[in-house]
Amino acid sequence: MSVETKPVFKPNREFSKNARIKNMCEYQDLQDWATEDYEGYWGHFAKEKLTWMKPFTNVMDNQNFPFVNWFEGGKLNVAVQCIDRHLESRKNKAAIIFEGDRGDKKIITYLELYYNVNQFANLLKNDFGVKKGDRVVIYMPMIPEAAYAMLACARIGAIHSVVFGGFSAEALKDRIEDAEAKVVITADGAFRKDKPYMLKPVVDEALKGNTPVQKVLVVERNGEDVTWVAGRDYSYNELIKNQKVTCEAEEMDAEDPLFLLYTSGSTGKPKGVQHNSAGYILWAQMTMEWVFDVKENDTYWCTADVGWITGHTYIVYGPLAMGATTVMFEGVPTYPDAGRPWKMVEEYKINQFYTAPTAIRVLHKTGENEPAKYDLSSLKVLGTVGEPIDPPAWKWYYEAVGGSKCAIVDTYWQTETGGHIVSPLPGATPIKPACATLPLPGIMGEILDPETGRKVGAGESGYMCVTRPWPSMIRGVWGDKDRFVKSYFGDVKKDGKPVYFTGDGANYDADGYITITGRTDDVINVSGHRMGTAEVEAAIKKHPNVAEVAVVGKPHEIKGEGIFAYVVLKADDGIADELEEMKAINKVIQKEIGNIALCDDILFAPGLPKTRSGKIMRRILRAIAKGEAITQDISTLEDPSVVAKIEAMAKK
Ligand code: PRX
């Protein structure tokens, strides 16, 4: 099979000289060390990088795989790792630089962060009665208080579950109930494109009826009027004034849970991905240091939202664990114009910039020449995450933003992996456009043939797997052990033993470089946001006129993938107004999930292509959505004629 060769860009020599990993020999040495002495390797870094209250006695207990314990016997606190340990050498260093939508700015030093988090922790502990192991849902805009809330939970041993602010009341309610959260931390709202938007009313809606939530803490950010429920809702701005600025950090077991983060899978119900303390924070810190190579005086900016794993690991935990300066931005990258990010890069002298391909495509399309208007010379490393990046967007990012001198780290990972697993190292790895390159040192990442478990050859497609457990691996699906095992360890075996399967397809090129080709399951990636087709279908089915529905992904110029729904309506007397019906369906989605799951296309089909056993043939629907010819045999379908009918309708 011919293997595509892509142009290669060598690391910038000057950069490599001072990089933490300087060349491929150093990379290989680390990878060999991990291969030969896996526990020695991880034990070494856990001792070197983490501040332990009590040292661990055993690196890894794998007897109960896939339930793995790391750093047994060790005690630590993630908030101490992220804050307290920096006070001696960095107390006046900026920990967080915040820029609001309207351009308001705030710099929070490590000492201030320490006080703010301690006060927040005292509030939760003393006023709200939050204890170790309690679940706290955080439904917040991109303001520093979101980071304080996460770290305050970590400090007192509460398990936080951040829910992205774009999720609807229904979606928030489901997550609150699944986690049995006792407290919700939110804000009145925030600002977007110079206008206030609201979050508190969504929380009010989510808490209607029976709820495990006893108390709601509201950060007053935009000052808009909100409803206060007596005995339940409290103003953060008021309560925080009375809190002491010191709060002892809870001694946490290495494997005590740190957070839950709900993500989409192949069923209608999102999974509460659980990450535990020591392993997660270790890899968050190590990847920050290696992949972004942030130096003491650098300023690092990741544009993600704290509601996603990227915001957890690469805005809050990773940067703070290594003592870096992390930028938090409330606004949208194209407001007031598509020069906003570049203006911020110039102003804050950003050294590492990390964003998603969707944002790069939007900035490219709407502001191709904007980067040239600003001084971007401070940039050293550019990152991308969340979805495959297409070569034209990559080229523009490399040339127009990076001035052809910055490494682009195409970081491949997922909610479940806690941190990057396949990525270039900016001082070492020769990069190729739109290619995640090689597994990071210590990660046993391999592309396997799902049938045989054999490592695939160059040019062959296979499943992206990790063949040994690693410290920041998902520890469980909240409340559902079976789902954890089945979702990740059921599909691929190597040498007869189950291995972690990411859900993504991938291939190697002739140099052994990995290119991720996308999900192999029913998960679609809309603007880098993971959406389960089953989740969207479950929402659409709530519309009273809908009899059947099938949802697939369709390539989208900006979003990467868009959502295409085939809907069969109950009434067979025709549709009165197609546009109105479409709006009504999207309205249900908005209510059940949120705007991020709105359909780009809805086709009212006379029926769905099903096998005689009733299985919907999504491959056919995917091909029709893409406008591709149907090549597979459809004669075995229950009603083959439906395919031609749908095809004709799609062409209209
Ligand atoms: O399909 C892969 C894609 O995003 C999925 C993970 O989504 P989520 O858990 O929401 O986390 C997103 C941020 C890490 C993966 O299964 N993905 C992530 N990074 C890349 C990617 N696809 C291609 N290239 C990447 N660099």
Side-chain angles (χ1 to χ4, degrees), residues 310 385-388 410-415 504 519 525 530:
T310 309
V385 60
E387 44 178 325
D410 182 344
T411 62
Y412 166 72
W413 60 299
Q414 37 183 207
T415 306
D504 285 300
R519 305 285 308 189
N525 204 326
R530 219 163 123 176

Side-chain angles (χ1 to χ4, degrees), residues 480-554:
D480 199 340
K481 280 191 175 171
D482 280 355
R483 195 167 176 202
F484 167 63
V485 179
K486 279 198 199 114
S487 303
Y488 304 105
F489 303 93
D491 290 327
V492 190
K493 288 197 171 90
K494 187 183 176 190
D495 302 326
K497 294 197 190 96
V499 295
Y500 176 85
F501 170 43
T502 58
D504 285 300
N507 56 56
Y508 292 115
D509 72 3
D511 295 323
Y513 273 28
I514 293 169
T515 295
I516 304 293
T517 49
R519 305 285 308 189
T520 61
D521 52 11
D522 287 329
V523 169
I524 46 186
N525 204 326
V526 184
S527 302
H529 300 152
R530 219 163 123 176
M531 276 292 132
T533 51
E535 220 175 316
V536 183
E537 287 166 6
I540 295 177
K541 276 187 197 146
K542 298 218 164 144
H543 188 293
N545 295 355
V546 172
E548 277 187 300
V549 54
V551 163
V552 297
K554 175 188 171 180

Side-chain angles (χ1 to χ4, degrees), residues 429-450:
T429 319
I431 53 172
K432 301 182 187 185
C435 178
T437 73
L438 299 164
L440 287 169
I443 301 292
M444 301 301 152
E446 282 185 285
I447 308 174
L448 301 178
D449 178 312

